[in-house]
Amino acid sequence: TIKDTAHVLSRYLDGIMIRTFAQEEVEDLAEHADVPVINGLTDYAHPAQALADLMTIRERLGRLSGTRLAYLGDGNNVCISLMVGAARFGMRFVAATPEGYEPDATAVTSARRAAVQMGGTVELVRDAVDAARDADVLYTDVWTSMGQEEDAERRRRDLAGFQIDDGTVELAQPDAIVMHCLPAHYGEEITESVLYGPQSAVWDQAENRLHAQKALMALIMR
């Protein structure tokens, strides 16, 4: 059981990072463990990725507060954690998703409360062009996540208008950066020319996952 696993691993380790499907499993592990538990990924949230994302934005643009971040595509775990993190740093976050693909309503409410306190905003829109226009950061993720393979064709149809391509980049600020948490499906959520283009911050973002998690471990593990 998760409870038993928590007790055993607590005897072996100084900390645990868990990547799993259900958010409840992370919470159960944390409840019963005597060492810090890090959420490496669930179907609901991906906070470890968001730390690296925020680090990369500040590194590349020199600031977080007031930055317009446009997320295009599926309002999945990556979108949720990015939205909450952006709100807590006073960013102007906008997610463009088709109907039925919005980020979780509870997370949106929490993010909007944080945004009000920090001077940021959280918007949900249907039009990818409106979201991308004048953005400082363009962000996307795969349209079909692990466990959704049976719905892949339907998801490709529904999300077809939310790709980041050269035209999308032209809508953003001239010095805007493009981000993707990888792996990428070229021709779906992003084009290869953009991912390898001059405004891509994807490889810095990938490297910063290492540094952000080192910092997280240093902060919580004694």
Side-chain angles (χ1 to χ4, degrees), residues 129-150:
V129 170
D130 285 346
R133 187 172 287 117
D134 296 327
D136 299 298
V137 182
L138 294 171
Y139 197 117
T140 192
D141 188 20
V142 294
W143 292 344
T144 304
S145 299
M146 185 173 59
Q148 299 172 333
E149 290 81 7
E150 292 184 0

Side-chain angles (χ1 to χ4, degrees), residues 145-165:
S145 299
M146 185 173 59
Q148 299 172 333
E149 290 81 7
E150 292 184 0
D151 295 329
E153 188 55 43
R154 175 182 60 82
R155 297 176 72 86
R156 277 192 288 267
R157 290 195 303 269
D158 293 346
L159 290 155
F162 294 83
Q163 181 187 86
I164 295 182
D165 57 16

Side-chain angles (χ1 to χ4, degrees), residues 43-114:
D43 64 325
Y44 181 77
H46 201 349
Q49 178 66 53
L51 290 177
D53 296 340
L54 294 169
M55 177 183 175
T56 304
I57 294 168
R58 188 177 68 175
E59 189 175 71
R60 293 292 294 264
L61 300 182
R63 70 192 192 284
L64 290 173
S65 180
T67 299
R68 179 174 171 82
L69 194 170
Y71 179 97
L72 276 56
D74 182 18
N76 58 15
N77 52 357
V78 171
C79 177
I80 287 172
S81 291
L82 187 64
M83 172 181 65
V84 172
R88 289 179 178 175
F89 283 93
M91 299 175 70
R92 295 181 295 136
F93 179 89
V94 54
T97 67
E99 185 174 358
Y101 290 80
E102 305 88 351
D104 174 73
T106 301
V108 172
T109 299
S110 175
R112 283 177 169 161
R113 287 174 181 163

Side-chain angles (χ1 to χ4, degrees), residues 5-18 29-30 33-38 213-222:
T5 301
H7 284 295
V8 171
L9 292 183
S10 293
R11 299 298 184 99
Y12 294 165
L13 308 169
D14 297 306
I16 303 167
M17 174 176 271
I18 175 173
L29 189 67
D34 296 323
V35 296
V37 172
I38 300 169
Q213 299 343 302
K214 288 190 296 184
L216 178 59
M217 289 190 291
L219 179 67
I220 67 174
M221 291 168 56
R222 295 293 185 262

